[in-house]
Amino acid sequence: MISLATNPRQIVLIYNSEQKSHREIFAYAKSADKDLLAIDISKEKVAGTVWTEVADLLDKRAMDLIHTTHSSFIKKYGENHELDCNGAIKMLQKDPEMLIYPYAIQDRRAKEIKLYNEMLSFFDPDTAEINIP
């Protein structure tokens, strides 16, 4: 089981390597000038307390981590599937495909990453050192 410990010099990325968009976001995160703790939920089980902590950092409930209106969810579980926080955590632990978008965490800040360029908010700004003619 993975436990979440955050550090201002480290980016934690929770993703599913079986999804192409997640692999692209992982590659982008890896290019940051920070340590990267990449947690691939298709290979590692993430503790329920970690999912709860991620939800807290996002100011959401654990059940809000699952996109129940996404076509992947509807195709697998139907439109009227009832989901509570415990059910959502179990779903994320047993069905990594339901992590529609990866989550990036740094220190006490978390963000759902829908597009790879959203990882930029976790990079150190280094353009100040570029001499623009």
Side-chain angles (χ1 to χ4, degrees):
M1 288 253 195
I2 298 295
S3 171
L4 186 62
T6 57
N7 176 330
R9 289 168 294 196
Q10 181 182 59
I11 296 172
V12 177
L13 182 69
I14 302 174
Y15 76 111
N16 177 0
S17 67
E18 294 177 0
Q19 294 187 26
K20 183 179 184 263
S21 63
H22 289 221
R23 289 191 304 271
E24 292 170 349
I25 290 167
F26 167 75
Y28 213 72
K30 200 170 181 180
S31 72
D33 192 22
K34 296 187 188 275
D35 290 334
L36 176 65
L37 172 59
I39 302 169
D40 181 354
I41 68 167
S42 70
K43 296 178 175 68
E44 303 177 65
K45 185 175 181 181
V46 177
T49 54
V50 171
W51 288 118
T52 302
E53 191 172 344
V54 170
D56 288 345
L57 288 171
L58 293 163
D59 200 26
K60 294 182 175 186
R61 298 171 298 171
M63 61 196 266
D64 297 327
L65 299 177
I66 304 280
H67 290 270
T68 57
T69 58
H70 193 274
S71 60
S72 296
F73 181 89
I74 293 170
K75 183 178 179 182
K76 194 163 192 174
Y77 295 102
E79 288 188 35
N80 299 317
H81 186 82
E82 293 290 325
L83 194 62
D84 62 9
C85 289
N86 288 333
I89 290 169
K90 288 177 184 173
M91 185 177 287
L92 287 166
Q93 289 175 329
K94 295 178 194 264
D95 192 357
E97 185 180 322
M98 289 302 106
L99 181 68
I100 303 300
Y101 304 107
Y103 291 102
I105 302 145
Q106 182 183 19
D107 200 16
R108 302 301 305 157
R109 178 174 60 118
K111 185 173 184 177
E112 183 178 57
I113 307 296
K114 295 180 180 179
L115 300 169
Y116 68 89
N117 65 349
E118 291 177 338
M119 281 302 304
L120 287 174
S121 65
F122 292 92
F123 287 35
D124 285 330
D126 57 2
T127 55
E129 296 182 22
I130 297 173
N131 187 12
I132 300 173

